[in-house]
Amino acid sequence: MGIIKFLSTKFRISVPTHHKQKQSDDDSLRLKKNLKENIQRIKQTFGNSEDIVVREWRTEGSNAIEVAVIYADGLADVKLINQFIIEPLMSLDRYPHFSGLQSPAGNYLDEFKQLLLPVGSIQEGLNLDMLLSGILSGETVLLCQGFDQGLLIASKGWEDRPIQEPTSQTVIRGPKDGFTENIITNIALVRRKIKDPNLWIQGFNVGRITKTSVSIVYVNGIAKDHVVQEVRDRIGRIQIDGILESGYIEELIQDRRFTLFPTIYNTERPDVIAAGLLEGRIAILVDGTPFVLLVPAIFPQFFQSAEDYYQRSDISTLLRLLRYSALLIALLGPPLYIAITTFHHDMLPPRLLISLSAQREGIPFPAFFEALIMELTFELLREAGVRLPRAVGQSISIVGALVIGQAAVQAGIVSAAMVIVVSITAIASFTIPAYNMAIAIRILRFGIMGLAASFGLFGIIAGIIAIVQHLCHLNSFGVPYMSPYAPVVTEDLKDGGLRVPWWKMNSRPSTASKLNQIRQSHSSTTDPDPEGRD
């Protein structure tokens, strides 16, 4: 700085304004040696908020000093602060090694940190910004008269929701614990599943105002290094005022912005995250939400349930095939009914055609508007069931669907066959495990219905081709979205639409990890009974 000042004075060289601004900002963040001034600056920064507690006192003894403890009420553990911070500092005369500090400068902060305070983590706060961030994170700030730095003492103690069973992804067989809104608890849940030092965790603070804690978790040696770096870079490029839920992160880092299909997987289940990490994927945890992100994600992943890996392989395969059948019904149920009843009557058996024609006699609307009315009505009932209080929401949804469907048929607005088709379609959409994928299918169904009403089966086929082409163009952090089907990866088909027995899944998915692909020894992959004998 002296050289810059000399050159600017001697040779009339102008100093860049951004350099002056940076120097000014650094000066404004520096702590002073005056304790009262530091406390006043902290109070002014918080607007004298009543939840910021400041406790000042003067220690006893020959080397008495002025000390202050600052914390946020509700974020810090008051009992811990009183017992392990304030009480030792107010009773220095009980500790013989503090009866007289020999250092003329009185290096109290180092002595406090090394000999007096029985807490787990203590860091030095070198500037005002570090102290403010620590207070808002539940830590306690210790300041002393005559020192231009403070101590950040770990004392987080806010109320948390206990670990409960996930509500969005329930299973019959499998663990019942789920993530909570506390990122520390969530990391511990993952650590309980994977007890390996190669489980690496890197933290970020995202959001200029909220400074939300975000952590990426991966298994070193299994996850691809360039994918891990890509996740770091995308999170580092986020410039936003606040992150309140993992959905913010999901939308800001996804590969394709304009697509209905989710390209990042989210879950409340620690066992799903642990399984993904062991396959080479990267988890993104966000403080304040129980939903954890998992990347890269592929299309078959959204039709798999955690229970698929806890049941026998034949049962899991049957359930997966059932879900893919439900996908076709949820997407093509009403469109096929519209196309056949409007354009392709010859595809129906005569008796069925006569029955449907008799039901539609007197219906004032074409099949497309008939289906549209019923679909919109059901979507309204579904949304109302979610938003209404839990005690009455489910009852109103069921009673509303029955009453409205029966009344619509009796009033001659829709046919009974249309009510059946829409009901089966709705039931099929509920079998899709991922809620965001089910929403995408529901939205696309309306577009396919329009094509069916305009062009019949040709419109449906054109819509399916367009959807498949779009899916094949999607990527998730460099991984083809339709893998292992497009491109075909034969080795990964063992855990796609089918699930082979565990003793045959000896390698990790190549799309997620090309390092350390062997997940079990050869001896454990041998068929224990190759000829089917007992």
Side-chain angles (χ1 to χ4, degrees), residues 185-439:
T185 303
N186 294 342
I187 292 175
L189 288 172
V190 178
R191 286 276 189 198
R192 285 177 56 188
K193 302 289 183 183
I194 304 178
K195 302 178 181 68
D196 191 280
N198 287 316
L199 181 67
W200 288 6
I201 301 170
Q202 182 178 0
F204 303 85
N205 287 326
V206 184
R208 290 190 294 268
I209 296 178
T210 61
K211 294 180 174 62
T212 305
S213 297
V214 177
S215 297
I216 63 171
V217 183
Y218 61 96
V219 179
N220 183 48
I222 297 179
K224 297 179 181 179
D225 293 337
H226 71 274
V227 178
V228 174
Q229 187 59 43
E230 182 66 21
V231 174
R232 290 196 195 105
D233 294 341
R234 293 190 188 186
I235 294 177
R237 288 196 296 264
I238 295 177
Q239 297 294 329
I240 192 172
D241 288 343
I243 299 292
L244 302 179
E245 214 275 337
S246 58
Y248 288 58
I249 301 290
E250 179 179 354
E251 192 169 350
L252 290 169
I253 67 173
Q254 63 185 359
D255 290 65
R256 184 76 68 89
R257 295 184 178 180
F258 301 104
T259 180
L260 293 175
F261 294 96
T263 56
I264 297 177
Y265 189 79
N266 68 80
T267 181
E268 287 185 271
R269 301 187 59 85
D271 55 333
V272 174
I273 294 299
L277 294 174
L278 293 176
E279 290 180 347
R281 292 183 167 87
I282 298 102
I284 304 174
L285 288 76
V286 181
D287 192 25
T289 176
F291 289 92
V292 176
L293 307 180
L294 195 64
V295 295
I298 56 177
F299 183 76
Q301 189 176 351
F302 294 90
F303 296 89
Q304 298 172 359
S305 172
E307 195 173 5
D308 293 350
Y309 299 94
Y310 309 141
Q311 300 284 2
R312 283 178 10 190
S313 59
D314 50 357
I315 298 175
S316 301
T317 298
L318 176 63
L319 293 177
R320 286 188 181 181
L321 294 177
L322 189 64
R323 294 188 199 114
Y324 282 108
S325 301
L327 165 65
L328 296 178
I329 295 174
L331 182 63
L332 303 177
L336 284 174
Y337 178 84
I338 294 170
I340 292 174
T341 56
T342 305
F343 296 99
H344 310 284
H345 305 94
D346 53 341
M347 296 182 63
L348 297 175
R351 290 186 178 182
L352 180 58
L353 179 60
I354 292 172
S355 175
L356 293 178
S357 299
Q359 292 180 26
R360 288 195 49 79
E361 187 175 356
I363 302 297
F365 304 109
F368 171 70
F369 288 102
E370 187 183 355
L372 191 63
I373 291 171
M374 289 305 299
E375 285 287 346
L376 290 176
T377 302
F378 190 84
E379 292 296 332
L380 291 174
L381 288 172
R382 191 202 309 252
E383 188 66 17
V386 173
R387 306 304 165 195
L388 285 172
R390 186 172 299 178
V392 298
Q394 187 175 4
S395 302
I396 289 179
S397 298
I398 296 174
V399 173
L402 293 174
V403 172
I404 291 176
Q406 183 67 24
V409 172
Q410 292 181 353
I413 298 176
V414 297
S415 63
M418 179 58 74
V419 174
I420 294 174
V421 170
V422 171
S423 301
I424 294 176
T425 302
I427 294 172
S429 66
F430 286 131
T431 63
I432 301 175
Y435 180 71
N436 48 3
M437 178 60 76
I439 292 178

Side-chain angles (χ1 to χ4, degrees), residues 488-510:
V488 176
V489 182
T490 306
E491 183 64 22
D492 293 350
L493 291 174
K494 61 182 180 294
D495 193 23
L498 310 177
R499 185 181 84 75
V500 301
W502 267 114
W503 44 269
K504 283 192 175 181
M505 289 199 294
N506 60 335
S507 62
R508 311 180 202 277
S510 60

Side-chain angles (χ1 to χ4, degrees), residues 60 87-88 90-99:
E60 299 179 356
E87 183 178 346
M90 296 188 70
S91 307
L92 291 180
D93 54 337
R94 299 180 185 176
Y95 302 91
H97 49 280
F98 278 100
S99 58

Side-chain angles (χ1 to χ4, degrees), residues 450-464:
L451 291 174
S454 302
F455 307 103
L457 289 177
F458 301 101
I460 295 177
I461 294 173
I464 294 175

